[in-house]
Amino acid sequence: MPEIKKIGVIGAGQMGSGIAHVCAQSGYDVIVSDISEEVLQKSLANIAKNLDRQVQKGKLSEEEKAATLSRISTGTDLSVFGDADLVIEAATENENLKRDIFKKLVPNLKPEALVATNTSSISITRLAASTDRPAKFMGMHFMNPVPVMQLVELIRGIATDEETFEAVRELTARIGKTAAVAEDFPAFIVNRILLPMINEAVYTLYEGVGGVEAIDTALKLGANHPMGPLELADFIGLDTCLAVMQVLYEGLADSKYRPCPLLVKYVEAGWVGRKVGRGFYDYSKNPPVPTR
Ligand SMILES: NC(=O)c1ccc[n+]([C@@H]2O[C@H](COP(=O)([O-])OP(=O)(O)OC[C@H]3O[C@@H](n4cnc5c(N)ncnc54)[C@H](O)[C@@H]3O)[C@@H](O)[C@H]2O)c1
């Protein structure tokens, strides 16, 4: 089985930062890349803040925090992945963008390096086909926030070999996560179920069945969900939610998955949720205020 010691992460947003955090905390050397130095610095600051939170809760010592941070390095060029044993892609949920990243990435890799994608919905088989190593490629779908959430969905493409699958399954266990294996269908298991519920919550808002607060309160207190669906949509990122619905709609060719026009409008306005300070709630206020 290929041995994984050094892990590369492409994309230093919410997910890439969380993946780098848990891998480094579990003792792996991690190298993270994104399109700008500014994004990388913000990511490192976020990781440090989240580690501080673990220290305050007594789950981590100051020494472990310092050691975790010392294992993370960054760079804006894909050449930094030359000695990575596994590269996990966690860039924006857009198939063309991801394919382009993989095409540019593979000439920089060792021949035996494995590649995984954290895509929420896109075909693993199609993404694998944009690399020179479909047998060494698979889906590794973390949940947000990565340091807190227990699950990683593992998805084989049609060509993924058993060695690759077992190496990634072993890594998942070593970083303290639990794997659920899904087949390569649009949005896999979690988002096949979760995103249509969120989309339906946006329809409920769009049709005036309830306001933002009523919808979230209804699901929290009426269905015992820890977060309301609109709050959760803001947390995931409305751009990601829309991208997943589009993949479901096109991939399964069923009108029941059509994205709600209000979701489309929020994304077009740039109101993509918590990461930009505005979505179904306005996060510039404390506590956040519903926008409808
Ligand atoms: N947000 C969630 O709840 C969640 C959960 C599981 C999986 N995902 C998936 O994880 C991936 C990232 O989502 P996110 O929530 O972290 O989004 P995000 O918007 O927070 O981060 C995306 C990052 O990708 C970077 N990026 C864009 N183009 C790039 C390029 N060419 N090279 C390198 N970096 C590039 C952006 O600068 C940004 O920092 C998506 O595929 C998404 O579907 C998201």
Side-chain angles (χ1 to χ4, degrees):
M1 197 162 57
E3 203 187 344
I4 297 172
K5 284 189 177 153
K6 183 155 193 175
I7 298 174
V9 178
I10 301 181
Q14 315 185 93
M15 296 305 291
S17 303
I19 295 166
H21 173 155
V22 295
C23 292
Q25 196 179 333
S26 305
Y28 292 93
D29 287 325
V30 178
I31 171 113
V32 189
S33 94
D34 204 301
I35 46 178
S36 75
E37 194 51 45
E38 192 191 336
V39 180
L40 290 168
Q41 288 312 316
K42 200 172 142 203
S43 165
L44 287 175
N46 272 335
I47 294 171
K49 197 174 79 193
N50 290 334
L51 286 165
D52 273 336
R53 209 171 288 156
Q54 287 171 282
V55 172
Q56 279 152 20
K57 286 185 182 161
K59 291 183 173 166
L60 202 71
S61 68
E62 279 290 350
E63 294 70 40
E64 285 165 327
K65 175 194 151 191
T68 299
L69 286 172
S70 75
R71 282 191 280 269
I72 303 176
S73 56
T74 60
T76 50
D77 196 292
L78 294 172
S79 63
V80 296
F81 297 118
D83 59 351
D85 303 302
L86 164 71
V87 176
I88 305 171
E89 173 277 316
T92 310
E93 187 76 351
N94 175 303
E95 182 163 348
N96 287 336
L97 183 137
K98 288 186 191 288
R99 292 174 74 97
D100 191 49
I101 288 175
F102 290 129
K103 271 200 200 94
K104 291 179 180 150
L105 169 70
V106 288
N108 294 285
L109 298 180
K110 302 189 284 194
E112 66 275 24
L114 310 181
V115 182
T117 173
N118 182 49
T119 179
S120 299
S121 61
I122 301 165
S123 161
I124 304 303
T125 300
R126 276 205 310 273
L127 291 177
S130 64
T131 73
D132 58 353
R133 61 194 74 199
K136 297 186 190 307
F137 187 102
M138 62 179 281
M140 191 179 190
H141 182 215
F142 289 83
M143 307 293 131
N144 186 21
V146 182
V148 176
M149 298 294 281
Q150 190 64 43
L151 184 74
V152 177
E153 264 182 296
L154 298 181
I155 309 110
R156 294 178 176 90
I158 198 168
T160 308
D161 66 25
E162 268 322 287
E163 274 195 343
T164 300
F165 183 80
E166 285 308 326
V168 172
R169 196 204 314 248
E170 168 137 354
L171 170 68
T172 304
R174 286 205 181 164
I175 59 176
K177 303 294 184 196
T178 302
V181 179
E183 291 300 318
D184 189 14
F185 277 78
F188 323 121
I189 296 173
V190 173
N191 287 334
R192 171 80 177 262
I193 298 168
L194 187 62
L195 264 296
M197 185 204 69
I198 287 175
N199 193 49
E200 200 59 30
V202 186
Y203 268 112
T204 312
L205 179 68
Y206 179 59
E207 292 169 8
V209 183
V212 169
E213 213 154 27
I215 293 166
D216 278 348
T217 303
L219 269 286
K220 275 192 284 193
L221 302 186
N224 223 9
H225 288 191
M227 277 174 121
L230 299 173
E231 196 186 353
L232 178 58
D234 275 358
F235 190 68
I236 293 170
L238 303 189
D239 51 342
T240 301
C241 291
L242 176 60
V244 173
M245 286 312 297
Q246 279 162 339
V247 168
L248 280 168
Y249 184 57
E250 284 156 26
L252 297 169
D254 188 332
S255 64
K256 77 176 176 184
Y257 298 111
R258 70 194 186 286
C260 178
L262 186 62
L263 178 61
V264 175
K265 223 177 241 184
Y266 266 59
V267 173
E268 286 173 347
W271 297 345
V272 297
R274 202 188 266 254
K275 62 187 170 187
V276 298
R278 188 185 176 99
F280 292 113
Y281 291 85
D282 176 356
Y283 296 91
S284 65
K285 310 279 187 316
N286 192 11
V289 181
T291 54
R292 291 181 102 76

